[in-house]
């Protein structure tokens, strides 16, 4: 064997070994065997483990920080393995925002984020006794508890307790509720996706939805109905596929009646989600339930704008009731331009495709909408009739207001730390059990309801994400899972190629 | 350039191509496995010139040998 052949064999062996060592190092690093991964970004440089803030048109780079001038904005964080907990720390400067939320995308269908509070001015300024355990804070009107554990042991037995982003494991009950068995007709046209609460006691859940597809956009328009119990568990789901007319040149479809009947349900609040795009119109709801309140969003559509599709619209004004503190209105058509009345204050919807916002009083507000064709959004609930109103969220206060019957507020929130000048730092801890990992990424959302009013903004300087796996897997188990995943994907890929060729 | 050097250059070229294909395939099977730690776009700037040099050396005509043959 010549000298050069020997050298060639040596270099080849070394090269192959080097590549194998590099790949094994990468695989080992990716398995995060110690169960902890910290990702930090000052947002000035692109990193593989954390994305930039997007959509980019809602942000603006300023020296070494970013200005956020519209909401929501998102960022992705790579999650090589399934972690149990994420601690997200953000350095920010708040410019007059009352609330800033940080959310994580969950496994729920559609656009669903579990939001927690990064900043809440009202909670920061509340002059009650405060105790914090690092991620939760207990606010007491009068100091009766010295630590959170003592309070949590008895929280189910004392009165005047409410929760903010905190699961107390309690469910809302209405002791004076008596079921009526007469059918109620809600003859309001509602467009697209809606969610609502209803209350049941010794009665079956009984709803019939009259739906129609206006076919203004191409493609199928299915409707997914999901029912959740008071513990947030999905107990029923039904997919209503498109009626077959899918082109935007097709006429509006004929009415279809979709019924849900679920007997033997325990007393409590139930959430019903109607997931659909804006081609689907809910023309009527027939139900035997007396209490119905819509969550966060209403899209009223009894307007001449839709006369091309439907001839039987009820072109009459709407009067609705809400407990939301900041209410936003939007119309997409000239026919929806109008003056809306909120508790004797007027707001003129003067432009299409623009949100108009108005603050309401802490009590139940009444909104008068003369022409409909309006999308209404708030963080709270809406009732179409005053007698249908109830507030199942009183136990889970989403926006604190000084309610006299509340003596304790337990919040998954801690006050931000002051760093320097006006910069603040706060941390939100997420349970990743229900977090969605999409293409190896966790998706986070930063939002603040007032952000797109009057040029208001938030400055963001730094994001630090600590991913933690509480129950660490052994090295052999981690490798076994890794190869199993690779093998499954490889088999899938191989069979896909095989099917395409043969 | 000697025959041995040419073969060695081609070996390095095949090794680089093989490693890159393997990396891409592993990345496809588990997104982020490679790209989380190695910038594959920047790696191209190193790999392509090295691979080109290897190919150039590998396919260049062995002048010395030709001269030896003519002799």
């Amino acid at each position: 064997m010549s000298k050069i052949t020997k050298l060639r064999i040596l270099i080849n062996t070394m090269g192959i070994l080097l590549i194998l060592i590099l790949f094994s190092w990468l695989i080992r690093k990716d398995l995060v065997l110690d169960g902890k991964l910290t990702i930090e970004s000052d947002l000035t440089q692109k990193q593989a483990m954390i994305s930039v803030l997007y959509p980019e048109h809602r942000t603006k780079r300023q020296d070494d920080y970013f200005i956020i001038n519209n909401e929501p904005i998102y960022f992705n964080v790579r999650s090589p393995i399934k972690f149990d907990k994420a601690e997200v720390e953000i350095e920010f400067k708040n410019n007059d925002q009352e609330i800033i939320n940080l959310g994580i995308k969950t496994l729920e269908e559609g656009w669903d984020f579990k939001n927690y509070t990064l900043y809440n001015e009202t909670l920061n300024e509340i002059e009650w006794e405060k105790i914090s355990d690092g991620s939760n804070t207990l606010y007491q009107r009068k100091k009766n508890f010295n630590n959170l554990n003592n309070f949590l042991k008895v929280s189910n037995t004392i009165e005047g307790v409410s929760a903010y982003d905190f699961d107390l494991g309690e469910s809302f009950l209405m002791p004076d509720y008596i079921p009526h068995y007469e059918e109620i007709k809600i003859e309001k046209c509602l467009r697209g996706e809606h969610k609502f609460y209803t209350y049941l006691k010794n009665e079956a859940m009984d709803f019939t939805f009259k739906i129609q597809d206006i076919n203004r956009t191409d493609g199928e328009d299915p409707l997914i109905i999901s029912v959740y119990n008071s513990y947030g568990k999905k107990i029923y789901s039904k997919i209503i596929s498109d009626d077959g007319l899918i082109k935007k040149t097709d006429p509006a479809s004929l009415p279809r009646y979709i019924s849900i009947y679920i007997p033997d349900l325990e007393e409590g609040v139930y959430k019903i989600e109607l997931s659909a795009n804006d081609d689907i119109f809910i023309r009527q709801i027939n139900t035997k339930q007396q209490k119905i309140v819509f969550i966060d969003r209403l899209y009223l559509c009894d307007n001449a704008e839709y006369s091309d599709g439907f001839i039987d619209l009820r072109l009459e004004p709407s009067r609705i009731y809400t407990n939301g503190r900041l209410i936003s209105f939007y119309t997409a058509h000239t026919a929806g331009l109008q003056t809306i009345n909120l508790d004797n204050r007027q707001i003129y919807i003067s432009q299409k495709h623009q949100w108009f916002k108005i603050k309401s009083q802490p009590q139940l507000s009444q909104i008068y909408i003369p022409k409909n064709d309006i999308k209404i959004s708030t963080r709270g609930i809406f009732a179409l009739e005053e007698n249908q109103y109830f507030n199942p969220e009183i136990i889970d206060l989403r926006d604190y207001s000084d309610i006299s019957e509340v003596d304790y507020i337990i919040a998954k929130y801690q006050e931000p730390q002051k760093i320097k000048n006006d910069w603040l730092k706060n941390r939100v801890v997420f349970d990743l059990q229900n977090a969605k990992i999409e293409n190896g990424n966790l998706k986070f959302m930063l939002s603040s309801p007032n952000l797109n009013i009057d040029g208001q903004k938030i400055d963001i300087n730094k994001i630090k994400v600590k991913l933690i796996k509480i129950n660490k897997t052994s090295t052999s188990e981690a490798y076994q899972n890794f190869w199993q995943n690779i093998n499954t994907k490889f088999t899938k890929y191989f069979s896909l190629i095989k099917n395409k060729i043969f | 350039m000697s025959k041995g050097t040419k073969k060695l250059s081609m070996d390095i070229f095949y090794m680089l191509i093989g490693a890159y294909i393997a990396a891409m395939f592993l990345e496809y099977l588990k997104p982020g496995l490679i790209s989380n730690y190695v910038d594959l776009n920047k790696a191209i700037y190193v790999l392509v010139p090295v691979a080109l040099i290897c190919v150039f050396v590998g396919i260049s005509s062995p002048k010395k040998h030709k001269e030896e043959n003519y002799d």
Side-chain angles (χ1 to χ4, degrees), chain A residues 297-311:
Chain A
R297 178 189 188 271
L298 258 187
Y299 195 166
L300 300 169
C301 47
D302 279 307
N303 182 287
E305 167 64 31
Y306 306 107
S307 309
D308 58 328
F310 313 122
I311 47 163

Side-chain angles (χ1 to χ4, degrees), chain A residues 68-230:
Chain A
I68 297 165
N69 45 36
N70 209 334
E71 59 119 29
I73 60 146
Y74 308 91
F75 61 93
N76 296 342
V77 171
R78 289 272 177 96
S79 176
I81 58 164
K82 178 115 180 83
F83 289 95
D84 299 312
K85 215 166 78 167
E87 292 177 9
V88 184
E89 195 176 86
I90 297 187
E91 282 184 22
F92 62 101
K93 197 198 266 180
N94 184 16
N95 303 297
D96 302 326
Q97 298 302 305
E98 284 174 15
I99 292 177
I100 304 172
N101 294 316
L102 184 65
I104 190 164
K105 190 161 191 189
T106 66
L107 289 168
E108 298 291 325
E109 289 153 5
W111 190 84
D112 202 85
F113 283 81
K114 176 77 182 157
N115 277 305
Y116 290 111
T117 309
L118 185 72
Y119 181 91
N120 185 315
E121 198 167 273
T122 322
L123 286 178
N124 293 347
E125 285 173 4
I126 188 168
E127 286 172 355
W128 291 7
E129 285 291 333
K130 299 170 194 174
I131 310 170
S132 175
D133 68 354
S135 60
N136 306 305
T137 307
L138 171 67
Y139 301 83
Q140 308 176 71
R141 198 185 284 272
K142 277 182 196 165
K143 192 175 180 181
N144 288 323
F145 298 94
N146 288 322
N147 65 54
L148 261 107
N149 283 343
N150 288 351
F151 167 78
L152 290 172
K153 275 179 204 162
V154 294
S155 65
N156 290 351
T157 56
I158 51 175
E159 285 193 352
V161 176
S162 63
Y164 181 88
D165 285 347
F166 191 96
D167 183 14
L168 274 172
E170 289 184 47
S171 41
F172 176 86
L173 292 175
M174 294 169 74
D176 303 329
Y177 178 88
I178 303 162
H180 291 193
Y181 298 99
E182 298 135 27
E183 192 170 78
I184 298 169
K185 272 187 191 172
I186 300 172
E187 292 180 300
K188 276 265 164 251
C189 173
L190 304 173
R191 187 177 183 187
E193 186 172 348
H194 282 83
K195 290 184 265 189
F196 61 90
Y197 293 120
T198 189
Y199 192 83
L200 301 184
K201 185 180 184 179
N202 303 326
E203 59 195 310
M205 179 178 284
D206 189 354
F207 281 95
T208 301
F209 303 97
K210 177 183 169 185
I211 62 159
Q212 278 186 279
D213 180 353
I214 199 166
N215 290 317
R216 280 196 172 180
T217 51
D218 281 329
E220 292 189 6
D221 305 311
L223 168 70
I224 303 165
I225 303 176
S226 310
V227 180
Y228 298 84
N229 66 13
S230 50

Side-chain angles (χ1 to χ4, degrees), chain A residues 459-496:
Chain A
D459 301 337
I460 302 270
N461 187 22
K462 204 176 191 181
I463 299 175
K464 185 176 172 185
V465 182
K466 205 187 257 182
L467 299 168
I468 300 159
K469 190 165 179 68
I470 297 164
N471 302 315
K472 278 185 244 170
T473 42
S474 66
T475 311
S476 59
E477 204 182 332
Y479 275 104
Q480 214 175 334
N481 290 342
F482 173 79
W483 289 119
Q484 212 168 0
N485 285 343
I486 293 275
N487 192 30
T488 317
K489 209 151 181 199
F490 184 76
T491 318
K492 205 172 141 190
Y493 179 66
F494 186 70
S495 59
L496 196 85

